[in-house]
Every structure is written in C-alpha cells, then in structure tokens.
Amino acid sequence: MKKLSELLVGVPVLERIGPDDRPVGRLTYDSRDAGDGDCFFAVRGTARDGHDFIPAAAAAGAAVVVCESLPGELPEGPTYVVVENTNAAMADMAAAFYGHPSRELELVGITGTNGKTTTVTLLYDLVRALGHRAGLISTVVYRIDDQPVEATHTTPDAIRLNEMLRRMADAGCRYCFMEVSSHAIVQQRTRGLRFAGGIFSNITHDHLDYHKTFAAYIAAKKRFFDELPPEAFALTNADDRNGRVMVQNTRAKVRTLSLRSAADFRCRIAELHPDGMLLRIDGREVWVRLLGRFNAYNLLSAYAAALLLGFDRDEVLRVLSTLAPVSGRFECVRAADGTTAIVDYAHTPDALENVLRTIAEIRRPGQQLFVLCGCGGDRDRTKRPEMAQIAVRYADTAILTSDNPRHESPEAILDDMTAGLQPADRYLRIADRAEAIRTASLLARPGDLILLAGKGHETYQIIGDVKHHFDDRERIADEFALRHTATPAH
C-alpha cells in the first residue's frame, strides 16, 4: 500500500480534487474490480469509455479516480486526479506502485511484425540454460522463471506488466525478455520501464485495422526505440528497409544484424535439412534445430542480444545448438505413413511466404503440398486477398478456411480472400476449419506435406465473443489417427 502522493511523483497533474495523502491498496481500470481503497483509472477504449464508469467505481469504494475529464456530477468519496492522458498516468503510477521493478532487471524488448515470440523465447531459454533466472512475456505464455502464467495479450496492460516484473525481481530473476506490440506502444503500456535493450525484427503490413495507415504502424514501432535510454542497446535488422528508420532518432547504442550485407552481427545459412540447418554466425559454424531464413534472423537476434548483454560468445553458440523450436512455430505432427503436418502461427502475408519458402527448400520431388489458411475477423482486411494469393502460389491445392472469425461472417472473410484469385487457381473454400483440416488429411497421400497456417500455439477459435476450444495440432493428430497413429515430431 502506498500513498497517492508517492504515486504522483513525476506525473503531470492538471487538477486534483481531494487530499493526496490517501493510501492506495490496488490499481485497476475495471470498475467491476474496484473496491475499498483502490485507485480507478478511467481509460478511453475503442469500444467503451472508462469515464462512464466513474460513478460505479466511486460507489464501490474507490479512494482515487484518475481521469482525463471530470463527470458532470461528481460522486463523493474519491480523490479525483485529472491528467492529460490516463494511459500514460496509469503506466507511471503502476511503475511507482510496484517499486519500479524494471530497474532491478535487465529488460530487453523486441518489436516488429514477425519473429517476436520466437526471439524472446530463444533468449529466455538461452539465458536459463546458461544458469540464470529469467522472465518471459510473450504471445504464447508469460513466465516468472520456470513458473508459467497465462498470456492474455502480447504485451499486458501497464498494471499487470509492472506487477509481473515485480514478481520476477522478487523471484530472483536477473533478466526479462518481452514482446512489445505496436498497440502497447501507442497505449503507453511500457511507459516508465527501463529497458537494457531493444530489438527490431522486421515490419510488414499488419494491424492496419488499428493503426489505419502503414506509416502510423511504422511510427508506433519507431517510438519504442526513440524512448530507449542512452545506456541501452538498439539492435536492428539491416536487411529490412525500415531497419535504419527505426533507430535514426534513438539515444541508445545502435547495432546491426544481417544475413545479406555488412553488419555488426552476420549470419548465413550454410546447409538446410528437414531436421535443422547449419549456420555460419560471425564466421563460426553452429548446427541448429530450427528451420528457415526467418529463423536464421531470429537466432541471430538472440545471439546478438546475448552478446550485447555480456554473455560469452562460445557459450552462447553452444546453447543455441540445443534450443528447440517454439510451440506453434513450424511445429510438425507426423503420421505413421510419413505424411507431415506443419503447424505455424503465420497470419501475415510475409510470415506465410517465409514459411512456404522454407517448405519449398526442404520439399522432396513428388511431395504434394496442401496449404490451409484463413484470416481473422474484425482485423486488417487489406491482407486477405494477398494471403490467399500466396497460399495458391505455393500449394498444389490451397484450402481457404476460417481463422478466428469473431463478429464477421466466415463466408464474407472468404469472399475477401478469394477476390484476387483467378479461375485457374487450385483451391478449395471450406469455412468450417475442422472440416478443412479433415479434407486436407483425406487428400494427402503418404509422405505429403500439409501446412496449417494462422493459429499456431492457439488452443481456441473465437466466434463472436466466445472462445471455443480448437487446437490445430490436436485436430490433425486426430485425423492422422484415423489413418495410423500420429506422433509429434521432436
């Protein structure tokens, strides 16, 4: 418990009504969760405005209300703090409430369109294999050392984020590796955190439903690097055309990585095999269990960040060779007859093409490839026809289906996907994802390949507002079991 005055240090306050010596027991932005002695933040969201729930928070006993504008009738009880931006104030006050835990950790954030989850997970696994306690904040799972915590967002809200960082520090973690989404940057969830380093992976068209323009999406990512402190490192992908843009105004120490040109950290793929690849990193060869050019970038990012954190080069390379692929990222399920399903989270055009290029490089003559993909509802519509075109280009037969339709009609989403296809293109249109997976299994001959793209690690499908259990890995394993017993690849 802390006094309001302690939480407001450094917070630009426009107006305060009531005493500032009130003790605060908890922080919340959900009026349904507010109780006696709590601080309620009235956050303006895309669907609801927290200011509408100020009376409910006051009635529940909130001691403090932080808002951008006061209600017409001021409920008695709380101290009211008026600020210019509630999200910014919430981040600053959450960091103070939990004792600025990021200052006790070597916190590294990664932003970009693709590769974030794999890179932070590789770093987390690498550092723990080297004998250190570490935390992880990713799309798949949050971890406080070896304790898993369910992930709700790529980057959690500022209150939960600081609470988890405090738990990490208290558990003896020295490092934390986290994904930093563009939504989180715009909503200032990471404001007030001290980062030891930032990594830029790449940027392609995504989330335009939220950012509206690609320029705004780039600007959101760039803002993360603009705000890094001078003592941090800013590691950027020199092979991405926006890699230099990201770090042009940063105060941090800029370092580059590349698979194609001169850079501070270099890598090239020497050999590619179905069970791994031989990389030459900074002139040293290392065999890794991950596949594809996109994973070469992820591994190089993890390697470079580890060296920038002060780890020994030889030890880092040794551990890299032992690391396993991340759940739902190029994860294989094999049937006894040799048919292989590849489950991957690829849900952007660039990610889908990266996975398909890798499959093309390891595909044997005569192997048929079936590509199953869909596009999420209530999300960026501009990528839908491009996703379908990429699937058709690489597949012997593409199967276009549902991802998470949310509040959109699955058939309407498929209409958008097929709008750019030609009559001669080989594809099936099956809105029911379970039926689409069953069809792929029935069409595949022994030894063929099936790519199940879009959901990866997810164990649910969102229809309307409801999450229904759905796991691509389970579904294809069940279908394979009808042919023979399926075994996960290791």
Side-chain angles (χ1 to χ4, degrees):
M1 186 172 290
K2 295 199 173 184
K3 289 186 177 181
L4 175 59
S5 57
E6 296 177 88
L7 304 184
L8 291 178
V9 173
V11 177
V13 175
L14 302 179
E15 183 180 2
R16 176 172 54 81
I17 300 175
D20 70 351
D21 60 350
R22 303 189 67 161
V24 173
R26 292 171 60 253
L27 310 180
T28 183
Y29 58 89
D30 187 340
S31 62
R32 297 167 297 181
D33 191 41
D36 286 340
D38 292 349
C39 176
F40 171 70
F41 295 91
V43 175
R44 300 190 194 277
T46 54
R48 295 180 178 179
D49 186 345
H51 290 76
D52 296 337
F53 301 96
I54 289 175
V64 178
V65 170
V66 179
C67 55
E68 294 172 12
S69 60
L70 295 170
E73 294 184 15
L74 209 62
E76 293 184 4
T79 291
Y80 291 89
V81 179
V82 183
V83 295
E84 184 176 346
N85 186 301
T86 308
N87 279 312
M90 183 167 69
D92 289 340
M93 293 172 71
F97 184 85
Y98 289 103
H100 298 281
S102 65
R103 298 175 184 176
E104 302 172 37
L105 299 162
E106 294 290 298
L107 178 62
V108 176
I110 178 169
T111 194
T113 305
N114 301 311
K116 298 189 297 296
T117 299
T118 297
T119 301
V120 294
T121 305
L122 289 171
L123 275 164
Y124 165 82
D125 289 340
L126 189 157
V127 165
R128 292 190 76 245
L130 290 171
H132 300 274
R133 293 184 178 181
L136 173 69
I137 298 172
S138 78
T139 303
V140 177
V141 68
Y142 308 148
R143 289 189 182 276
I144 299 169
D145 199 27
D146 59 354
Q147 178 188 351
V149 180
E150 182 183 2
T152 55
H153 294 80
T154 297
T155 311
D157 66 79
I159 297 171
R160 190 178 189 201
L161 178 54
N162 278 277
E163 184 265 338
M164 280 201 301
L165 293 177
R166 168 46 56 203
R167 289 171 63 188
M168 290 176 191
D170 290 348
C173 294
R174 181 178 173 186
Y175 301 91
C176 175
F177 305 103
M178 67 176 290
E179 295 185 50
V180 180
S181 70
S182 56
H183 294 68
I185 297 167
V186 171
Q187 294 167 12
Q188 305 202 55
R189 297 181 213 164
T190 57
R191 178 186 168 102
L193 302 184
R194 189 195 71 178
F195 283 91
I199 306 170
F200 170 69
S201 61
N202 52 64
I203 193 162
T204 60
H205 282 254
D206 197 18
H207 300 305
L208 298 192
D209 55 302
Y210 181 81
H211 297 288
K212 306 307 180 187
T213 67
F214 190 47
Y217 181 42
I218 291 172
K221 299 288 189 186
K222 181 179 178 298
R223 181 171 169 181
F224 171 65
F225 296 94
D226 291 349
E227 295 174 353
L228 288 175
E231 63 272 16
F233 66 80
L235 178 63
T236 190
N237 180 358
D239 294 341
D240 187 285
R241 64 179 181 175
N242 287 296
R244 295 286 185 179
V245 173
M246 288 292 147
V247 296
Q248 66 185 12
N249 298 119
T250 189
R251 296 172 296 159
K253 298 181 285 288
V254 176
R255 297 293 183 269
T256 57
L257 62 86
S258 173
L259 267 67
R260 298 201 301 254
S261 58
D264 296 304
F265 301 97
R266 293 287 313 280
C267 172
R268 71 176 182 86
I269 301 173
E271 297 177 19
L272 187 66
H273 300 273
D275 58 345
M277 55 186 174
L278 182 67
L279 300 180
R280 182 174 287 275
I281 299 178
D282 284 347
R284 304 189 187 198
E285 289 190 346
V286 57
W287 175 263
V288 295
R289 298 165 59 188
L290 284 72
L291 280 172
R293 179 171 292 272
F294 60 99
N295 271 324
Y297 280 109
N298 297 333
L299 287 156
L300 182 60
S301 295
Y303 162 85
L307 264 60
L308 290 169
L309 287 170
F311 288 98
D312 177 76
R313 184 190 310 270
D314 290 336
E315 283 295 287
V316 169
L317 290 172
R318 178 185 63 80
V319 173
L320 278 185
S321 68
T322 70
L323 299 181
V326 177
S327 174
R329 270 64 174 175
F330 216 92
E331 185 174 352
C332 295
V333 178
R334 293 195 178 100
D337 64 7
T339 306
T340 299
I342 299 165
V343 179
D344 196 272
Y345 190 53
H347 61 284
T348 66
D350 183 65
L352 181 61
E353 183 138 28
N354 282 337
V355 169
L356 286 168
R357 281 178 179 168
T358 298
I359 293 173
E361 291 178 314
I362 62 173
R363 186 176 168 188
R364 299 191 308 270
Q367 275 186 316
Q368 291 189 107
L369 172 62
F370 299 88
V371 177
L372 183 149
C373 74
C375 292
D378 302 337
R379 296 295 186 268
D380 183 4
R381 294 180 59 180
T382 63
K383 67 183 181 183
R384 293 175 182 175
E386 191 176 354
M387 293 281 286
Q389 290 162 2
I390 292 168
V392 164
R393 188 184 315 142
Y394 284 88
D396 290 288
T397 300
I399 302 176
L400 308 181
T401 187
S402 295
D403 190 288
N404 293 316
R406 299 184 178 88
H407 297 96
E408 283 194 72
S409 159
E411 294 293 347
I413 296 172
L414 290 174
D415 286 343
D416 287 343
M417 292 184 72
T418 57
L421 298 182
Q422 303 302 315
D425 289 334
R426 291 178 58 85
Y427 70 93
L428 300 174
R429 174 174 167 155
I430 304 174
D432 185 288
R433 192 173 181 94
E435 184 60 33
I437 291 173
R438 182 174 301 114
T439 300
S441 178
L442 291 171
L443 291 175
R445 300 182 307 230
D448 283 347
L449 297 170
I450 301 170
L451 173 64
L452 306 180
K455 295 189 66 61
H457 65 281
E458 292 180 350
T459 57
Y460 56 83
Q461 186 176 40
I462 305 173
I463 302 173
D465 292 317
V466 181
K467 281 187 176 182
H468 302 267
H469 179 77
F470 195 102
D471 188 326
D472 279 0
R473 296 161 296 188
E474 290 179 2
R475 293 282 179 166
I476 193 62
D478 288 345
E479 295 301 330
F480 283 173
L482 298 176
R483 300 149 60 114
H484 294 284
T485 302
T487 56
H490 295 288

